[in-house]
Amino acid sequence: MSQTCRTRDFSFQLPDDWTDRSMIAWAGPSDNSGPVAPNIMVAYDRPRPGEALGAYVNRQMADLSSRAQGFQLELRRDVMLSGRQAVEVLFQWNSGAGMVKQRQLYAQLPDGRLISIVNTAPAERFAACDQQFLAMLNSFTWPAPGAAA
C-alpha cells in the first residue's frame, strides 16, 4: 500500500491499483424554496479503455436522459477549463420534489482519470445562482506541472 489519500482532516493508505473516485461537495445557503440548496460538487472517474472525453460525456448524458424524469438537455459544447479542453453540458430534470437544473463540466486529467464539476440549483433559481457558480468556475486552476498533489 503505497498510495496515500490526504485531506485536510485525515490521511490513510490504499493499494496502488485502487482508483480515486472521491467527491467534494459544497452547498450554499438554503431558503427551503426548492428541492435542493445551490451546490457545487467535484468528482473523479475513469473512462472505459479507449474512451475519449466526448464519448464519456455522451454516455453520461444517455444514462441521465434514460433515468431522469423530464430530462431536457439545453446545451452541450466544447469549452476550456483553466486552459484544458473540457465539455460543458447544461440540463434540467424533475427530481420528484421539483425541477432541478445542472451545469456539468468534464475534463481529462494527465493520468487518464476524468474530473466532473457539477453546479446544481432549483431550476427557477439557477439563473440567480449562476453568477456565483461562474465565479467559482473562473477561479478554478490546475496545479503547475510537477507540483506535489
Side-chain angles (χ1 to χ4, degrees), residues 6 15 18 73 89 91-94 103 110 112 117 122 136 140 143:
R6 290 183 174 85
W18 283 42
L73 180 65
V89 291
F91 58 90
Q92 62 181 0
W93 82 99
N94 187 337
R103 172 188 292 110
I117 303 170
M136 287 184 265
F140 189 91

Side-chain angles (χ1 to χ4, degrees), residues 127-141:
C129 298
D130 206 28
Q131 185 175 359
Q132 283 186 320
F133 287 153
L134 292 173
M136 287 184 265
L137 292 171
N138 288 331
S139 72
F140 189 91
T141 60

Side-chain angles (χ1 to χ4, degrees), residues 10-27:
F10 61 86
S11 69
F12 63 95
Q13 298 291 306
L14 295 120
D16 280 338
D17 60 347
W18 283 42
T19 301
D20 182 351
R21 295 201 57 193
S22 58
M23 293 182 189
I24 302 166
W26 293 86

Side-chain angles (χ1 to χ4, degrees), residues 113-127:
R113 288 177 301 148
L114 297 173
I115 186 172
S116 61
I117 303 170
V118 181
N119 302 143
T120 306
E124 69 277 357
R125 292 183 48 215
F126 192 90

